[in-house]
């Protein structure tokens, strides 16, 4: 019955901003690390960002570091991805994921996440 629901995707011009949201249901949200991944047609799923259970530690891929910010509000059971200075190469389907409780560190490993949302499309025009 656990589910994640992403929202906030859309079409934006290069240089613009979007904020993605992921709401979690059916899980004690505050005890789980959360991550964002993206996947484009014909490409492998790519790690974007992750945040630990408390929000005190964040992790980013080199391609988004300095432009994207991951955050969480445990009281609202929601994780966010603020995306600034968007580039056409950021175009992808973005997925949020909840990590299994028994893993620690190496947040970029997608196989350590056990619950995934349906994804939200982000398209950046040039």
């Amino acid at each position: 019955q656990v589910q994640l629901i992403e929202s906030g995707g859309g079409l934006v011009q290069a240089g613009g901003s979007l904020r993605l949201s992921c709401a979690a249901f059916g899980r004690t949200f505050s005890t789980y690390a959360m991550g964002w991944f993206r996947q484009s047609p014909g490409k492998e799923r790519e790690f974007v960002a992750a945040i630990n259970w408390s929000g005190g530690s964040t992790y980013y891929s080199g391609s988004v570091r300095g432009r994207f910010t991951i955050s969480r509000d445990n009281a609202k059971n929601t994780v966010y991805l603020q995306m600034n200075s968007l580039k056409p190469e950021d175009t992808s389907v973005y997925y949020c994921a909840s990590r299994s409780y028994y893993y620690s560190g190496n947040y970029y490993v997608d196989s350590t996440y056990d619950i995934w949302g349906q994804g939200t499309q982000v398209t950046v025009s040039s």
Side-chain angles (χ1 to χ4, degrees):
Q1 296 182 8
V2 177
Q3 61 178 341
L4 305 176
I5 301 177
E6 302 101 332
S7 62
L11 175 64
V12 66
Q13 296 183 37
S17 298
L18 286 173
R19 188 178 76 160
L20 306 183
S21 299
C22 175
F25 303 90
R27 207 171 197 177
T28 306
F29 181 81
S30 63
T31 65
Y32 295 90
M34 300 290 293
W36 287 95
F37 295 78
R38 64 188 183 186
Q39 188 168 25
S40 299
K43 296 183 178 181
E44 297 294 321
R45 186 161 56 195
E46 176 189 10
F47 170 76
V48 177
I51 188 167
N52 76 338
W53 67 270
S54 69
S57 298
T58 57
Y59 309 86
Y60 300 94
S61 70
S63 62
V64 308
R65 187 175 294 112
R67 299 187 297 120
F68 291 9
T69 302
I70 188 171
S71 62
R72 67 190 300 161
D73 186 338
N74 287 344
K76 297 181 178 179
N77 288 341
T78 302
V79 63
Y80 305 95
L81 185 68
Q82 178 67 45
M83 305 185 294
N84 297 326
S85 302
L86 283 162
K87 304 175 181 179
E89 51 262 45
D90 294 319
T91 296
S92 190
V93 178
Y94 284 72
Y95 300 89
C96 69
S98 177
R99 203 181 197 203
S100 299
Y101 74 95
Y102 45 83
Y103 290 105
S104 63
N106 299 319
Y107 289 99
Y108 55 88
V109 181
D110 57 359
S111 62
T112 65
Y113 295 78
D114 59 347
I115 305 294
W116 294 79
Q118 289 294 311
T120 184
Q121 176 70 47
V122 172
T123 302
V124 184
S125 62
S126 60

